[in-house]
Amino acid sequence: MDSSLQIISTPTADSPGTVVILSTAKQNYIFGSNSEGTQRTLTQAGAKIVKVKDFFITGRTEWSNMGGLVGMMLTLADSASTSYDTSMEQYRKKAMHKGHPEPPRPKMNVYGPPNLKHMLATCRRFIFRKGVPVEVTEYKNVAPGKANDGRVLPTWEDNSIKVWALPIAPTSRTPNTKQEAKLEAERAHFDKELNVFEELQASESENAADREARYDQIRTATLNHMFNSTWRFDTLVERHISEIEMPAAIFVRDPVTKHTHPYTGPLPGGKEPLPDITVLTRTPWPGALVRGLPPPAPAPEALSYIVRTHPVRGKFNPVRAKELGVKPGRDYSRLSQGETVKSEKGEDVTPDMVLGPDRPGQGFAIIDLPSVEYVDNLIQREEFVAKTVVEGVRLCVWILGPGLSGHSGLEDFMQMLGPQVQHIVSSRDSCPDRLSFDSVAAQTIRLGQIDGERYHVPFHDNTALPQKTIAGSSAFQVVPFKNIIPAERGLKFRIMPNFEMRRDGILPPLDVSAIQQNTPPEILDLAKDSLASIAQDSEALQAWTQLLSRPDTDVITLGTGSALPSKYRNVSGTLVRVPGVGNYLFDAGENTLGQLQRVFGPDELVDVLRNLRMIWISHLHADHHLGTTSIIKAWYTIVHNGVPAAEPLTIHSLASQTKNFSLAVISHEGMLKWLGEYAAVEDFGYSRIAPLEIKPVRHSQDTGSVLKFVPSSPFPKYDQFETVPQHHYEAILGLEDIQACKVSHCNGAMAVSITFPTTSSSTPPLKISYSGDCRPSEQFVHIGRNSTLLIHEATFDDELLGDAIAKKHSTTSEALGIGAKMDAKAVVLTHFSQRYQKIPVLQTIDNGEEADDLLDPNAMEDVQENEDEDVDEPDNMDVSTTTTSAVPHSAIPTDSALKGNGKGVETVIKVRSKDLKVAIAFDYMRVRIGDIAKLEKFNPALEKLFEREDVEGEGDEGAEGKGESDEKKNGNGKKVGVGGEGGKKKKSKRNN
């Protein structure tokens, strides 16, 4: 049976983990870390992951090692569901007359270190999938299982491979009695106040082992709610209104028409008396009822694996079979498969009589050592001296933490394994920080040739070792191992039937000069014309800049795609740097930290993080917040050296302790609860941040938003839940004001406007408004009035208005319409569903002309009071409980009914405001607000670039409904095959 192993990624700034794929005839397996960016790395490599059902995670349970697992599981769950639905449709057609077997239901298996279940279960507020069970297996630091004859048994096996899991604990583990007592108090609190599982309550006779088993069942049940729920969103049940627990969506049925509509009378818990009526409400989503998880104990184990294929039966000898009187044909096949048959004389012929000797299985080890504290316990693992385990192991992939390169103990251990074992080392000490995402890097290089002020070659270093990171260079002296090979992307090993290393698939470093030389001269000429036009219109451009407060404010678009990371656009993240005040991050999708490390060199990034004052998370869709933990931890490491706060922050010390708690995370309750719950797994800096819950403005009321302090203590006192006084905003956030409003997208989605202190009496203060994901909102227009800058999603081109309405997003013209109604000076469009959005060209009209209707009168979809506060709804669902002024379904125009300019890359939009300027965002763009007016000058060059790349077939079809080509290319355009798999396109359907 053929099997091969391929290295997909090595540690770099934006692909920090090491990922390998084991390919067999029947299925593929992923081994290694699943750090942020893993899914995008696999997409860039053209690796087909639809055949992957088993994930073997190495290392420890920490976000830097597993931050990409959640997004990948969501994508695979959606893909598996789609595939299963298609298979079932075909089965129903065939089964009626051919009796075909029913296709198996999809399933995912994840294997990893302790606390993996807890880490995944904390994500229940934003994961809801049906019919794709996920089975999670944790391997703890226990002695390996053995057979009666003393053989070390495999931990796991299927028809293709055997796996021995090697959980390794560090040698230096000092008991912390204070932490242990705190943990016991938190567990007692959970069992008394938070455990909602009636069948899993504590018994009086429960011992420690029984409690751990019960806690494991609770976490497993929670995961089942997340991935294999039978709950239906549209199921309504009748209850008396007095039995309803708020908040909840309440409906009544019209006795005449029998139609349901939202209930608008007095609510339970209010001051007005309740009517004596029966109402309709939803059966609560089970995940919404899980109030908390059992607090986990620290788990420092790091996981490694030994993997071997099964033995292969010996070669069939037809001559010997004929001599024994076996009839050729089916009996030959049965003997080859290990079955006994009858000869023509009626005698038994067994397989061993006609088969040669079995060929033993071959395999590899993948060893993950985070630090030197793990070396001794690794060397002492008995699996490495058990012949039945290591026989046939020809390859060892080492994933090493800093300072382990050249470790003498590991050097001796490598020699002990024998000369037949090839050693591959993947670490920041052995692998340079090369560009991982060739496609977007090449695109940025070309954009830099057109507009060198806004786009630069992504930061990288193809040679320096050890890598320089935001933590600085390695404090250890790096001594290379002898006789090892550094890991490289595309390096491949044939495991069976014969071991062989293949280097022909290795991707060379991106050749920046080759890409630049390949740019057509006509594009470069147009870029020169753009610069000349800017110089010619310098007075008008400067006059526009004079309208702005703080024009040197930088906007860095880190991720400009939607739903799924693609080769050219990462998921949402926008950084705003206000000189003299601080830095503000609007949403932090997966791998936002990696994007920052490509935009800024290590030294500058340290300054960016040190001055980070606020992270705003608009809603709990995974593509908007899965990078938050990594950002906080990087800030925590730089600002506080990874040392937790000695005393918890309180509302009374919030304004005076900004030196110790200088980073605020502002969102709604669900996001802050997730961060607090995950902090039980890993100290990522939660004790040092200021978690602030924002209460949105009320619909059509000038009440204003308020910030509520959310204490980090597991047993908060009542007085800690006080409102943050607005006169403290400047000390805490550097802001004069912050206002948020609900928007129509999903449960809890909000848009925000932040206003900075005034610097000049001649210009309004700097005001930045950010939409997150949403349909157009009148309430957002209200809070964003007179914005200096509007950052608005434009997921769909205007021709796809029907899709925008259905998926609760905005079109390009709708986003610009919001900017015009706000009287914003500049609009940055982002969150695109495809690689190249049509470039809006704004044409200022005279008084006699008619402006384009950017916003349909019925386009505004404001969320009414209490409409989306239905805790029964999972935050990540692609449907909403809101009842809005949306266009009825019958009024949604089809694509063919909408006007558009077909295949062009430009769309002309007539507007009345001569001061409104617009920028189309690409990843890695750095633009000062005062320079946004210049960007339209580069449109001709951009149009020519996009036309050329579309003709060459290099376009990216994006994440919404279309996928990436499985054909693999490096950044220089060279095609490279991946695992011998074909070039069909795969589809995914994440509608975030």
Side-chain angles (χ1 to χ4, degrees), residues 235-255:
T235 301
L236 295 175
V237 294
E238 284 192 344
R239 294 178 183 170
H240 192 273
I241 191 169
S242 62
E243 299 174 359
I244 304 299
E245 294 184 12
M246 297 300 293
I250 305 175
F251 303 87
V252 292
R253 180 174 282 117
D254 189 296

Side-chain angles (χ1 to χ4, degrees), residues 382-453:
E382 61 179 294
E383 290 90 342
F384 289 107
V385 295
K387 184 178 180 180
T388 56
V389 177
V390 297
E391 184 180 25
V393 171
R394 300 293 307 278
L395 173 68
C396 190
V397 179
W398 296 86
I399 304 173
L400 300 180
L404 283 170
S405 182
H407 188 282
S408 58
L410 289 181
E411 189 96 58
D412 295 340
F413 182 70
M414 291 178 182
Q415 295 180 10
M416 183 273 292
L417 292 177
Q420 79 282 359
V421 179
Q422 179 68 67
H423 296 278
I424 308 297
V425 174
S426 183
S427 73
R428 293 187 184 273
D429 293 342
S430 304
C431 306
D433 182 21
R434 294 174 178 170
L435 292 167
S436 304
F437 304 121
D438 308 71
S439 299
V440 68
Q443 172 181 273
T444 306
I445 291 166
R446 296 186 183 105
L447 288 170
Q449 290 180 276
I450 294 173
D451 184 1
E453 194 171 345

Side-chain angles (χ1 to χ4, degrees), residues 604-618:
E604 188 177 6
L605 182 54
V606 167
D607 181 70
V608 169
L609 292 170
R610 192 180 299 279
N611 291 289
L612 186 60
R613 300 198 68 169
M614 184 187 89
I615 299 175
W616 163 265
I617 302 299
S618 62

Side-chain angles (χ1 to χ4, degrees), residues 233 247-249 281-282 747 866-874 881:
F233 177 76
T281 188
R282 292 188 178 90
N747 182 27
N866 290 325
E867 279 184 359
D868 79 334
E869 295 185 4
D870 182 5
V871 295
D872 301 342
E873 177 195 346
T881 61

Side-chain angles (χ1 to χ4, degrees), residues 26 33 67 186 194 261 270 301 394 399 407 571 679 718 829:
K26 294 183 178 180
S33 60
E186 291 174 356
L194 302 178
H261 56 85
E301 291 96 329
R394 300 293 307 278
I399 304 173
H407 188 282
V571 288
Y718 179 79
L829 300 178

Side-chain angles (χ1 to χ4, degrees), residues 126-147:
F126 53 90
I127 291 182
F128 177 79
R129 295 297 185 267
K130 298 174 68 172
V132 187
V134 173
E135 186 171 320
V136 179
T137 303
E138 297 178 348
Y139 296 119
K140 299 181 179 180
N141 188 28
V142 296
K146 294 184 179 180

